[in-house]
Amino acid sequence: MTRNAHSDALHAAVQRFAAGDRAISFGDLALQIATFQREHSAGFERLLASRGGALTTVETVPGVPSDAFRLARVAVHPESEDAARFATSGTTGSGHGIHAMRRLDTYQALALRFGRSALLSGPSPRRVVALAPRHGEPPTSSLGYMMAMFMVDFEQAAPDSARAPERWLIDERGVNLGELERAGARALSAGEDLLVLATSFALVALLDALEGRTVRVPERTVVMQTGGFKGKSREIAPDELRRSVARAFCISEARVISEYGMTELTSQLYEATLPGAALQAERHGQAGLYFEPAWLRVVPVDPISLDPVAEGEVGIARIIDLGNVDSAIAIQTQDRVRRVDGGIQLLGRAHGAPPRGCSLAVEEFLAALAQ
Amino acid sequence: MTDFTARRARLEPLLSSARSLADASTERGQAARKRLCSSGLSPEGIDFAFARCLEIAPEEREIEALIGSTATAQVAHVLLSANVFVAAHRAIAIGLAASDTVRVRPSRREPEMAELLLAGAPGAFQIVSELSPHAGDRLWAYGSDETLDEVAVTLPPGVAFHAHGSGFGVGVIDGSVTDTAVSELLPRLAEDIALFDQRGCLSPRVLLVSGGPDAARDVARALSLELEQLETRIPRGRLEPHEAAEITAYRDTASFTGQVFAAGLGFVSAGSDGQWLLPPSGRNLHVLPTRDALRSLSGLRPMITSCAFAGEAALRTSLRRSLPGARLCQFGEMQRPPFDGPVDRRDL
C-alpha cells in the first residue's frame, strides 16, 4: 500500500471511529497510526528509538514535544501535498511552528462533531460571529479556520458566507463593538440564538471597550472562549473572565464555554456546562473541567519520567489525538493538567526552569530568535 | 595614599580570604566545601570550581583593569545570584573597588559564599538582608532578567544601576581546525560545560561547527564521550525537578529534530543549519553545523556572554567585532575570564 493510500485508510477509520463505529478500539487505532508514522517520519522513528523502539500498547507511543513543530516539519508527507499549513501562535515573540495537514476532511468532521455537542443546545436557528480577525486565504490559523467552519455548519449557510466581514468582529482598530451590537439586534429580531466565538484576549478587549456596559443579545446566547493571553492583553483569571463575560452579555455563566485546543492537534476539548447541549447531558460538567471526545485522550504524565501519573495527580498533558493521522498521533505538551471526575483540569503551563540566576530561560531564547 | 592605592588595598583582604577558602588542606577550606554543598554541585564539582574558577591570584594588570573600569560610589550595593558560587568573589571585589562601604545581599538560595568570604575578611564588607541604596550609590545586580527588572523599578532616583542578566556561551569551531585539534579541544569544552553544572551565564550551550550535518554529528558524538568520561571524575550534582523536566523535554525535542547522544547524565544533540535549540543546564549541548558562523550568531548577539573560538585569526577578528559584549576566549577558558571587571561585559 502506498503512503497516501495507507493514510487515507487510516483517515477513514478515524472518521468511522468518531461516528461511533467501535470495530476497532481507540488503542488499536492509535497504534496503527503510530506504526504508520514510524514508517514515514524519520523524526518520530528517532524519538521512538530513543525510548527503546517498541510500539506495543497505546501507552508506549511517545509524545512528540510541541516545540518540535517550531524546529522541524512534523508530517509524514512532503510539503507539496499540504492541503493546509496552520501556524502555531507560540508565546509572545517566540518562533512559529507549522502543523501541516494533507487532508482537511477529518479535521472538519472531528471539530464539527464535538463542537456541535458542546456548543449547540437545540434545533433553533442561530447566528455565529467571531471576536477574531477574518482569516486569510489560504488559512494559516487553525482557530480561524475552525470558526469559519462553525459559521457555515451551525447556520447551515453557504460556504462563502463565512467570509462576510460582519461576522469577524476584530479589525485593525480593535473590537468592532457596533457590529457586535448589530449582530445581537439581528439575532433578537430574527428569533435566533447567537454564538460568539472568541479568544480570551479578544474578550478582555471587548470588556475594556464596553467599560462596564452590556451588549443586548438573545438570552440563549453562547460564548465560546479559547486560548490564553500570550501577552496580547492584560490577563484576567478564568473565573473572573467568565463572570465578566456573562455579565457583559447578560447570560448565565453556564453559557460561557471554554474550549481547549492547540494548532498541533486536530481535535478539541470543551467544558460541558451548556444546558441542553449533548455534551452537558452526557457529562454534567462543571466550569473549569474539560472533556475529551472519544477520539482523543489526555494522559497526565510525570514531567521527568513521562510515565502516567495516578488519577487526580498533576502531570503535564500527553495528548493522543487520532485525528493527527499525518503529523503526530501523540503530542507532549508542557500544560499542567489533572484528571478529575472524568474530565481534565487545566492548571497552566509548566514553565521550564524558572529563571535561575543569570542562566538563560528557553522562552527568552526563542523570543530572541524570533526577532 | 592615592585613590588607586586605597582601592587596591581594599581588595587584598578579600583576595586573601578567597585564597584560604580555595585551599582544601585547611580547616576553613574543608568547612567551605561542606557548606557549599547547598549549591547542588557534587563535592568534586565544588572542588573543580574552586580550582578552576576562583580568582585567587589575579595578575596585577587585571586588578588594575578592574579598578580602572569601576566607577566610585558613596556606597556600593551588590545583589548576588545563586548558581555560580565563586561569582560572589568578583562581584564583591567590584564593590570594594567602588567604595569603602559595600553592602552585599546574597541570594537566598545560596548565601554561603558571601558569608565564607566575609569570615576570612572581617569588616571588609557588610552582609545585609535588604538593600536600600540612596542617590549617589551604585548597585551591581546579578540575576535573571526578571529579577533585574523588578529591582530596577524599585530604585530611587540617583542610584547608578549595573545590571548583569541572562545570557549564555557559545563555541565556534572554524573549518580550518584539524580533526586532531578538534579532538584536543573537546575535553576542554567538556570542562567548560561541566563547571557549575552549566548554570552560569558564561556556560556554553551551543557549539557551531563549520561544515555540514555530518561534521556536527561527529563532533557531537565525540563530545558526548568526553562529557561521559569527565562525569566519572566530576559527577554532576543534583538537579531541581524543573531542571530535570527541562532536560526530558529537550532530549525528546532534539531526538525528533536531529540526533541525540547520551553524555553521562546529560545529552549532546546535533541539528542542521539554522535549527537552533537551547539545551537546559545540567551538562547538555547542541551542536549546529554552519557555513557562516557570524550569520548564525547574529540574531542572538545580545544574549551571548562568552564565545570560545578555534580557527583562523580572521574569523576571530570578525567575531570580536560582531560580538562586542562577549568574552572571546579559547576552549577551556570560558568559565575563567580575566579578573578585570564583571564577567558579563554586554552593554545591557
Side-chain angles (χ1 to χ4, degrees), chain B residues 51-66:
Chain B
R52 294 294 301 274
C53 301
L54 186 63
E55 302 92 346
I56 55 174
E59 291 180 20
E60 205 52 39
R61 63 185 167 84
E62 294 176 13
I63 294 176
E64 283 168 16
L66 183 143

Side-chain angles (χ1 to χ4, degrees), chain B residues 218-296:
Chain B
D218 292 348
V219 169
R221 183 187 289 119
L223 178 63
S224 70
L225 297 175
E226 294 295 343
L227 280 165
E228 188 175 12
Q229 201 171 22
L230 182 63
E231 192 177 287
T232 61
R233 193 159 50 88
I234 304 164
R236 192 179 73 181
R238 65 171 187 276
L239 299 181
E240 300 287 339
H242 63 77
E243 292 177 306
E246 274 214 319
I247 291 174
T248 298
Y250 152 67
R251 179 202 65 201
D252 281 4
T253 302
S255 293
F256 190 92
T257 59
Q259 280 193 288
V260 176
F261 301 95
L265 293 173
F267 297 94
V268 180
S269 53
S272 49
D273 193 7
Q275 203 174 49
W276 279 90
L277 190 57
L278 186 73
S281 54
R283 304 193 185 185
N284 307 290
L285 194 93
H286 187 54
V287 183
L288 267 180
T290 183
R291 303 282 177 198
D292 183 348
L294 293 177
R295 185 182 53 80
S296 298

Side-chain angles (χ1 to χ4, degrees), chain B residues 188-205:
Chain B
R188 299 201 294 273
L189 173 59
E191 291 185 351
D192 287 331
I193 295 167
L195 277 161
F196 311 106
D197 288 345
Q198 211 182 3
R199 292 190 181 108
C201 64
L202 299 175
S203 295
R205 306 265 204 115

